[in-house]
Amino acid sequence: MKIDVLLGLQWGDEGKGKIVDVLTPGYELITRFQGGPNAGHTLAFEGNKFVLRSIPSGIFQGDKINVIGNGVVLDPALFKAEIESLKASGHPLTERLKISKKAHLILPTHRLLDAAYESAKGDSKIGTTGKGIGPTYTDKIGRNGLRVGDIFHNFTTKYNQAIERHKKILAQYRYEYDLAESEKEWFEGLECIKQFELIDSEHYINRALKNNTKVLAEGAQGAMLDIDFGSYPFVTSSNTVCAGACTGLGVAPHNIGEVYGIFKAYCTRVGSGPFPTELFDRDGERMRTVGAEFGAVTGRPRRCGWIDLVALRYAIMINGVTRLIMMKSDVLDDFDTIKVCTAYEIDGKKTTDFPFELDDSTKPVYQELKGWKTDMTKISDEKAFPVEFGAYISFLEEYLGVPVKIVSVGPDREQTIIR
Ligand code: GDP
Ligand code: IMO
Ligand code: MG
């Protein structure tokens, strides 16, 4: 059996949590392969709403097993908070969640370093989620990181060494902090992690695939935030693209099956960085209001704009997407006209190739399509699609060269149309 991968194709928040939850009945094992609590994956069903940060979005469907893979960075304190809030809502999961021993730990000082680096950048700050993601991956790549499996191996010494090293850097940045409270929470979180089965996840997952177990890999962030292919340096610090599932789980490339690429019918971004189709007018404001575009983790208003097919086609290429999933089309229900960016104009020249970097000289070239002006939120069959909505999907499929297999018309699990 091959592993299917679900990834965001834009700047994150495409609706990955919702769709992983929708697809989970077809899988036995759900895995996360990168990122950490910078993610906020929202699920809505039976009148309830949940936001997951580090835990895979398969936990609400029956007795599926969920694995936090080696590519993930885990903050014990936030992990404990997440576990406790799930338990309080009647979803205990100790038996159904396993954690890779090779996942790296976000230390309390990583969060401080994140803040110190951001503040030192001044106007050119990245606008991170402040969860210590960059510094933790930096330590991983710099071969200074602490892993979940280290908890049982001379941990205190390793921890103290890392903290001392971080304190020196913080002193250079003249960053003031109080570590005591966050360290206390952190160590309580570590005790919480110990209650879970800590596994060699690469063995576990490969064995599962060999035994024909159906496995889904859940991406975090999105292709445009990928450390290599995103809008660098305004990106996150992991490989969010499909190849990240290979390194983040220990799965060989030839064992990748379907690649689900998920995108919004428009586009959003949180934090700083280029966004060629960003809107600063009433249309953008409308997207933000109707789409409730406020960060699931930080509550920050998301920047909104029209769909960018140049960037989307690039993301599809890098990820090898086989099936597309279009989210939040209901947010555009009331627009007379919908714009679609089909090319960029850079220094007076038109191109459909995604450039080395996006900057202020990258201007979107739009094609206009007629809006469907229909409430889509209760539609459950594609036969009921308004003509204009069908035309919008066909236009995207033709440009992108991949079929749109799922359409989401509302946040609830039920508001999903499989084609
Ligand atoms: P993720 O990070 O990719 O899982 O996405 P987020 O959960 O951060 O953001 C997606 C937001 O859109 C959440 O508030 C979802 O509840 C909501 N959502 C998901 N799908 C739809 C949809 O089809 N329509 C609408 N209106 N909201 C949706
Ligand atoms: P999900 O999984 C949207 C953005 C941050 C910032 C940049 C770097 O919910 O789609 P980081 O804290 O990772 O160092 O921040 O990346 N970012 C996200 N934006 N959705 C996310 O996750 C994000 N995770 C990080 O806003 O611009
Ligand atoms: Mg999110």
Side-chain angles (χ1 to χ4, degrees), residues 239-258:
N239 276 118
T240 63
V241 295
C242 189
C246 296
T247 57
L249 296 172
V251 171
H254 70 263
N255 277 335
I256 300 288
E258 296 294 343

PDB file of all heavy atoms in Angstrom, residues 239-258:
ATOM      1  N   ASN A 239      10.043  21.781   5.261  1.00  0.00           N
ATOM      2  CA  ASN A 239       9.559  21.476   3.911  1.00  0.00           C
ATOM      3  C   ASN A 239       8.103  21.043   4.011  1.00  0.00           C
ATOM      4  O   ASN A 239       7.786  19.953   4.488  1.00  0.00           O
ATOM      5  CB  ASN A 239      10.395  20.371   3.248  1.00  0.00           C
ATOM      6  CG  ASN A 239      11.650  20.927   2.604  1.00  0.00           C
ATOM      7  OD1 ASN A 239      12.762  20.577   2.975  1.00  0.00           O
ATOM      8  ND2 ASN A 239      11.485  21.831   1.646  1.00  0.00           N
ATOM      9  N   THR A 240       7.248  21.955   3.569  1.00  0.00           N
ATOM     10  CA  THR A 240       5.806  21.702   3.660  1.00  0.00           C
ATOM     11  C   THR A 240       5.316  20.902   2.454  1.00  0.00           C
ATOM     12  O   THR A 240       4.188  20.446   2.437  1.00  0.00           O
ATOM     13  CB  THR A 240       5.039  23.035   3.684  1.00  0.00           C
ATOM     14  OG1 THR A 240       5.290  23.713   2.445  1.00  0.00           O
ATOM     15  CG2 THR A 240       5.500  23.922   4.830  1.00  0.00           C
ATOM     16  N   VAL A 241       6.169  20.782   1.431  1.00  0.00           N
ATOM     17  CA  VAL A 241       5.754  20.121   0.188  1.00  0.00           C
ATOM     18  C   VAL A 241       5.807  18.600   0.352  1.00  0.00           C
ATOM     19  O   VAL A 241       6.287  18.075   1.361  1.00  0.00           O
ATOM     20  CB  VAL A 241       6.622  20.573  -1.013  1.00  0.00           C
ATOM     21  CG1 VAL A 241       6.400  22.051  -1.292  1.00  0.00           C
ATOM     22  CG2 VAL A 241       8.101  20.275  -0.780  1.00  0.00           C
ATOM     23  N   CYS A 242       5.330  17.912  -0.683  1.00  0.00           N
ATOM     24  CA  CYS A 242       5.155  16.457  -0.608  1.00  0.00           C
ATOM     25  C   CYS A 242       6.430  15.721  -0.196  1.00  0.00           C
ATOM     26  O   CYS A 242       6.382  14.750   0.573  1.00  0.00           O
ATOM     27  CB  CYS A 242       4.665  15.972  -1.968  1.00  0.00           C
ATOM     28  SG  CYS A 242       4.169  14.264  -1.943  1.00  0.00           S
ATOM     29  N   ALA A 243       7.573  16.195  -0.683  1.00  0.00           N
ATOM     30  CA  ALA A 243       8.834  15.538  -0.329  1.00  0.00           C
ATOM     31  C   ALA A 243       9.050  15.542   1.182  1.00  0.00           C
ATOM     32  O   ALA A 243       9.720  14.655   1.726  1.00  0.00           O
ATOM     33  CB  ALA A 243      10.003  16.233  -1.024  1.00  0.00           C
ATOM     34  N   GLY A 244       8.470  16.519   1.856  1.00  0.00           N
ATOM     35  CA  GLY A 244       8.561  16.594   3.318  1.00  0.00           C
ATOM     36  C   GLY A 244       7.912  15.389   3.983  1.00  0.00           C
ATOM     37  O   GLY A 244       8.285  15.011   5.101  1.00  0.00           O
ATOM     38  N   ALA A 245       6.944  14.778   3.319  1.00  0.00           N
ATOM     39  CA  ALA A 245       6.313  13.579   3.886  1.00  0.00           C
ATOM     40  C   ALA A 245       7.290  12.402   3.865  1.00  0.00           C
ATOM     41  O   ALA A 245       7.248  11.542   4.737  1.00  0.00           O
ATOM     42  CB  ALA A 245       5.037  13.229   3.114  1.00  0.00           C
ATOM     43  N   CYS A 246       8.187  12.378   2.866  1.00  0.00           N
ATOM     44  CA  CYS A 246       9.193  11.314   2.806  1.00  0.00           C
ATOM     45  C   CYS A 246      10.177  11.462   3.960  1.00  0.00           C
ATOM     46  O   CYS A 246      10.428  10.514   4.709  1.00  0.00           O
ATOM     47  CB  CYS A 246       9.950  11.353   1.475  1.00  0.00           C
ATOM     48  SG  CYS A 246       8.890  11.020   0.057  1.00  0.00           S
ATOM     49  N   THR A 247      10.723  12.666   4.123  1.00  0.00           N
ATOM     50  CA  THR A 247      11.725  12.865   5.179  1.00  0.00           C
ATOM     51  C   THR A 247      11.071  12.946   6.556  1.00  0.00           C
ATOM     52  O   THR A 247      11.688  12.573   7.550  1.00  0.00           O
ATOM     53  CB  THR A 247      12.543  14.151   4.932  1.00  0.00           C
ATOM     54  OG1 THR A 247      11.645  15.251   4.843  1.00  0.00           O
ATOM     55  CG2 THR A 247      13.340  14.053   3.647  1.00  0.00           C
ATOM     56  N   GLY A 248       9.859  13.424   6.606  1.00  0.00           N
ATOM     57  CA  GLY A 248       9.195  13.635   7.899  1.00  0.00           C
ATOM     58  C   GLY A 248       8.515  12.399   8.457  1.00  0.00           C
ATOM     59  O   GLY A 248       7.996  12.424   9.579  1.00  0.00           O
ATOM     60  N   LEU A 249       8.493  11.332   7.647  1.00  0.00           N
ATOM     61  CA  LEU A 249       7.896  10.076   8.126  1.00  0.00           C
ATOM     62  C   LEU A 249       8.817   8.885   7.881  1.00  0.00           C
ATOM     63  O   LEU A 249       8.621   7.811   8.454  1.00  0.00           O
ATOM     64  CB  LEU A 249       6.560   9.807   7.407  1.00  0.00           C
ATOM     65  CG  LEU A 249       5.430  10.813   7.662  1.00  0.00           C
ATOM     66  CD1 LEU A 249       4.248  10.527   6.752  1.00  0.00           C
ATOM     67  CD2 LEU A 249       4.984  10.778   9.126  1.00  0.00           C
ATOM     68  N   GLY A 250       9.795   9.069   6.988  1.00  0.00           N
ATOM     69  CA  GLY A 250      10.654   7.943   6.631  1.00  0.00           C
ATOM     70  C   GLY A 250      10.015   7.031   5.597  1.00  0.00           C
ATOM     71  O   GLY A 250      10.182   5.811   5.626  1.00  0.00           O
ATOM     72  N   VAL A 251       9.268   7.650   4.676  1.00  0.00           N
ATOM     73  CA  VAL A 251       8.604   6.887   3.615  1.00  0.00           C
ATOM     74  C   VAL A 251       9.340   7.157   2.300  1.00  0.00           C
ATOM     75  O   VAL A 251       9.643   8.302   1.976  1.00  0.00           O
ATOM     76  CB  VAL A 251       7.126   7.332   3.499  1.00  0.00           C
ATOM     77  CG1 VAL A 251       6.469   6.727   2.287  1.00  0.00           C
ATOM     78  CG2 VAL A 251       6.360   6.976   4.765  1.00  0.00           C
ATOM     79  N   ALA A 252       9.630   6.104   1.553  1.00  0.00           N
ATOM     80  CA  ALA A 252      10.357   6.272   0.291  1.00  0.00           C
ATOM     81  C   ALA A 252       9.482   6.959  -0.758  1.00  0.00           C
ATOM     82  O   ALA A 252       8.260   6.759  -0.765  1.00  0.00           O
ATOM     83  CB  ALA A 252      10.812   4.919  -0.219  1.00  0.00           C
ATOM     84  N   PRO A 253      10.090   7.754  -1.663  1.00  0.00           N
ATOM     85  CA  PRO A 253       9.292   8.471  -2.675  1.00  0.00           C
ATOM     86  C   PRO A 253       8.366   7.561  -3.485  1.00  0.00           C
ATOM     87  O   PRO A 253       7.232   7.945  -3.778  1.00  0.00           O
ATOM     88  CB  PRO A 253      10.363   9.105  -3.573  1.00  0.00           C
ATOM     89  CG  PRO A 253      11.545   9.276  -2.675  1.00  0.00           C
ATOM     90  CD  PRO A 253      11.505   8.123  -1.709  1.00  0.00           C
ATOM     91  N   HIS A 254       8.836   6.348  -3.817  1.00  0.00           N
ATOM     92  CA  HIS A 254       7.959   5.495  -4.643  1.00  0.00           C
ATOM     93  C   HIS A 254       6.770   4.957  -3.855  1.00  0.00           C
ATOM     94  O   HIS A 254       5.888   4.322  -4.423  1.00  0.00           O
ATOM     95  CB  HIS A 254       8.772   4.351  -5.299  1.00  0.00           C
ATOM     96  CG  HIS A 254       9.233   3.316  -4.333  1.00  0.00           C
ATOM     97  ND1 HIS A 254      10.495   3.337  -3.786  1.00  0.00           N
ATOM     98  CD2 HIS A 254       8.619   2.237  -3.802  1.00  0.00           C
ATOM     99  CE1 HIS A 254      10.624   2.315  -2.943  1.00  0.00           C
ATOM    100  NE2 HIS A 254       9.496   1.644  -2.943  1.00  0.00           N
ATOM    101  N   ASN A 255       6.743   5.204  -2.561  1.00  0.00           N
ATOM    102  CA  ASN A 255       5.592   4.779  -1.750  1.00  0.00           C
ATOM    103  C   ASN A 255       4.559   5.883  -1.548  1.00  0.00           C
ATOM    104  O   ASN A 255       3.642   5.746  -0.755  1.00  0.00           O
ATOM    105  CB  ASN A 255       6.060   4.264  -0.388  1.00  0.00           C
ATOM    106  CG  ASN A 255       6.500   2.809  -0.477  1.00  0.00           C
ATOM    107  OD1 ASN A 255       6.053   2.082  -1.363  1.00  0.00           O
ATOM    108  ND2 ASN A 255       7.392   2.403   0.403  1.00  0.00           N
ATOM    109  N   ILE A 256       4.728   6.994  -2.251  1.00  0.00           N
ATOM    110  CA  ILE A 256       3.706   8.054  -2.201  1.00  0.00           C
ATOM    111  C   ILE A 256       2.601   7.705  -3.195  1.00  0.00           C
ATOM    112  O   ILE A 256       2.870   7.402  -4.359  1.00  0.00           O
ATOM    113  CB  ILE A 256       4.308   9.434  -2.572  1.00  0.00           C
ATOM    114  CG1 ILE A 256       5.442   9.835  -1.618  1.00  0.00           C
ATOM    115  CG2 ILE A 256       3.218  10.513  -2.632  1.00  0.00           C
ATOM    116  CD1 ILE A 256       5.023  10.237  -0.225  1.00  0.00           C
ATOM    117  N   GLY A 257       1.357   7.747  -2.734  1.00  0.00           N
ATOM    118  CA  GLY A 257       0.213   7.430  -3.608  1.00  0.00           C
ATOM    119  C   GLY A 257      -0.446   8.700  -4.107  1.00  0.00           C
ATOM    120  O   GLY A 257       0.179   9.514  -4.783  1.00  0.00           O
ATOM    121  N   GLU A 258      -1.700   8.879  -3.746  1.00  0.00           N
ATOM    122  CA  GLU A 258      -2.399  10.096  -4.169  1.00  0.00           C
ATOM    123  C   GLU A 258      -1.825  11.313  -3.440  1.00  0.00           C
ATOM    124  O   GLU A 258      -1.449  11.224  -2.264  1.00  0.00           O
ATOM    125  CB  GLU A 258      -3.895  10.019  -3.826  1.00  0.00           C
ATOM    126  CG  GLU A 258      -4.665   8.934  -4.531  1.00  0.00           C
ATOM    127  CD  GLU A 258      -4.767   9.135  -6.029  1.00  0.00           C
ATOM    128  OE1 GLU A 258      -4.531  10.268  -6.517  1.00  0.00           O
ATOM    129  OE2 GLU A 258      -5.071   8.158  -6.721  1.00  0.00           O
TER     130      GLU A 258
END
